[in-house]
Amino acid sequence: MIHFAWPLVFLVLPLPLLLRILLKPAEQFQDAALRVPLISDFEILPAAGSSRQSNLRISFWLALLAWLLLVCASARPQWLGEAVELPISGRDLLMAVDLSGSMEIEDFVINNQQVNRLVATKYVASQFLDRRVGDRVGLIVFGEQAYLQAPLSFDRETVKTLLNETAIGLAGQKTAIGDAIGLGIKRLKKNQQNSQQQELVMILLTDGDNTAGHMQPLKAAELAAEAGIKIYTIGIGADEMLVNSLFGRQRVRVPAELDEKTLQAIADLTGGRYYRARDIQQLEQIYSTLDELEPMEQDSQYFRPVTSLYVWPLGGAFLLGLLVVLITQRGRVAWA
């Protein structure tokens, strides 16, 4: 159906009539005398006068139609399409990714290429985001401090782009797990007040223990549990890795800095689960498991696609105005 976004614009339709009534007509200057050398010149006057009156009437109606089209264009006509149902699951899902210095350890392998932990996280989390149709997703990054990289949004492509733009050390070299959870609580609760969402989920991925920040992880977990936020924790990092040496590639042990006990406690306090990812296959399996979370039941939401139509009446008004100018100029040449 056709809809006008600014219907009040039609109130200016009688404006030309009001101007005609209120303004004085322009003065017409006439010669004091008419000199005709030959009586035969009078024979063309009736035809010329009739043609002039006809051109004036045509110009009047064309100008009136052009004015009507111009007002229609100003009212912003739009075509409203059929209602489309939006896939809404009712879940707000916030990812918290560790960017501390230890994430640069290259103990993961993707397509036979050794990569660091952050690259592996981006690779798997991007695929995870592609599958989260209907969820509001957001991104927090943390090191010595925690930052909101992407607010909760249905725009998963933007969140994925912002995730891929992150870099190790962007938030500092240390790890503030408690502050990351605290910031996640703040953002999830604020969004819940605005949208009345009921299920709040946070996925926290780290490869270390809490070495920075003002809030202790377990205290933050208790606050999250009180707020109804479920936290799934992922400990990332291999037990050993391949390194190049004088004797070729050798397998060496990776220093263990991961505080699995705290991550397990955070998950238990909030009703989530703790996962351990030692290689890319385990990390993919973890995100596949998280992807099976049952969505909440919620009333469907709809939107109507809108197509602007103002260009058609605007183009018509322009063409009619041009036609009026041509007729007027042609008449003046003929009358001259």
Side-chain angles (χ1 to χ4, degrees):
M1 55 182 267
I2 295 179
H3 167 76
F4 290 95
W6 298 337
L8 293 178
V9 174
F10 285 107
L11 294 176
V12 303
L13 270 177
L15 183 60
L17 179 60
L18 294 177
L19 293 177
R20 175 67 176 173
I21 296 173
L22 297 177
L23 298 180
K24 295 180 179 181
E27 296 183 2
Q28 297 183 357
F29 297 95
Q30 297 180 351
D31 293 336
L34 176 63
R35 300 180 181 275
V36 182
L38 298 175
I39 193 64
S40 60
D41 291 339
F42 283 99
E43 296 177 358
I44 64 172
L45 290 179
S50 176
S51 176
R52 182 178 182 181
Q53 291 297 327
S54 177
N55 287 339
L56 288 175
R57 284 195 297 269
I58 294 174
S59 298
F60 171 78
W61 290 109
L62 290 178
L64 185 62
L65 183 57
W67 170 251
L68 177 61
L69 291 176
L70 188 61
V71 173
C72 287
S74 301
R76 290 187 60 192
Q78 299 171 337
W79 177 262
L80 299 182
E82 294 293 332
V84 178
E85 183 176 358
L86 292 174
I88 305 297
S89 71
R91 179 183 291 105
D92 286 343
L93 194 153
L94 190 59
M95 299 175 58
V97 177
D98 188 353
L99 298 182
S100 61
S102 56
M103 290 290 286
E104 65 182 354
I105 297 176
E106 297 183 350
D107 55 355
F108 279 74
V109 178
I110 300 176
N111 298 326
N112 297 322
Q113 182 178 359
Q114 202 157 345
V115 298
N116 62 41
R117 295 170 179 176
L118 181 58
V119 171
T121 300
K122 293 178 180 179
Y123 177 78
V124 177
S126 295
Q127 300 177 15
F128 174 75
L129 289 172
D130 288 336
R131 300 190 296 267
R132 302 314 301 177
V133 178
D135 281 350
R136 255 182 294 264
V137 293
L139 176 64
I140 286 176
V141 295
F142 63 97
E144 293 183 26
Q145 296 179 331
Y147 300 95
L148 181 67
Q149 181 77 350
L152 288 161
S153 169
F154 288 113
D155 188 358
R156 292 172 290 117
E157 286 299 322
T158 298
V159 177
K160 188 167 64 173
T161 299
L162 292 173
L163 170 63
N164 291 326
E165 290 177 353
T166 58
I168 295 172
L170 184 65
Q173 296 296 319
K174 297 182 180 181
T175 308
I177 297 176
D179 286 2
I181 296 175
L183 179 59
I185 295 171
K186 180 180 178 180
R187 301 306 305 182
L188 287 170
K189 290 300 294 181
K190 181 178 180 180
N191 190 78
Q192 185 186 42
Q193 293 173 358
N194 296 334
S195 62
Q196 300 301 318
Q197 295 293 317
Q198 298 299 322
E199 186 169 349
L200 310 177
V201 178
M202 186 173 178
I203 300 174
L204 186 142
L205 183 144
T206 183
D207 68 341
D209 58 351
N210 191 75
T211 57
H214 303 285
M215 182 174 293
Q216 292 300 314
L218 295 183
K219 179 61 178 179
E222 293 176 359
L223 296 175
E226 294 176 2
I229 299 174
K230 186 183 298 184
I231 302 178
Y232 293 89
T233 55
I234 302 175
I236 186 173
D239 295 328
E240 54 184 23
M241 60 182 291
L242 293 173
V243 297
N244 295 321
S245 66
L246 295 176
F247 304 100
R249 292 175 64 83
Q250 292 185 331
R251 191 175 296 274
V252 299
R253 290 192 60 81
V254 178
E257 299 179 357
L258 186 63
D259 187 357
E260 294 191 75
K261 182 179 179 181
T262 298
L263 295 179
Q264 181 69 63
I266 292 172
D268 292 340
L269 284 171
T270 59
R273 290 183 59 182
Y274 167 66
Y275 300 94
R276 181 74 167 89
R278 294 177 174 83
D279 53 42
I280 194 68
Q281 289 76 23
Q282 288 184 345
L283 188 58
E284 289 178 334
Q285 181 59 43
I286 290 169
Y287 276 101
S288 296
T289 302
L290 294 174
D291 200 32
E292 297 174 358
L293 294 172
E294 288 296 329
M296 284 181 51
E297 295 294 334
Q298 185 183 14
D299 294 338
S300 299
Q301 296 186 13
Y302 297 86
F303 86 101
R304 287 182 177 271
V306 178
T307 304
S308 295
L309 303 176
Y310 73 92
V311 293
W312 299 104
L314 184 61
F318 175 77
L319 292 176
L320 290 176
L322 183 62
L323 187 58
V324 170
V325 172
L326 292 176
I327 292 174
T328 304
Q329 292 297 326
R330 182 180 177 183
R332 287 179 179 177
V333 172
W335 303 331

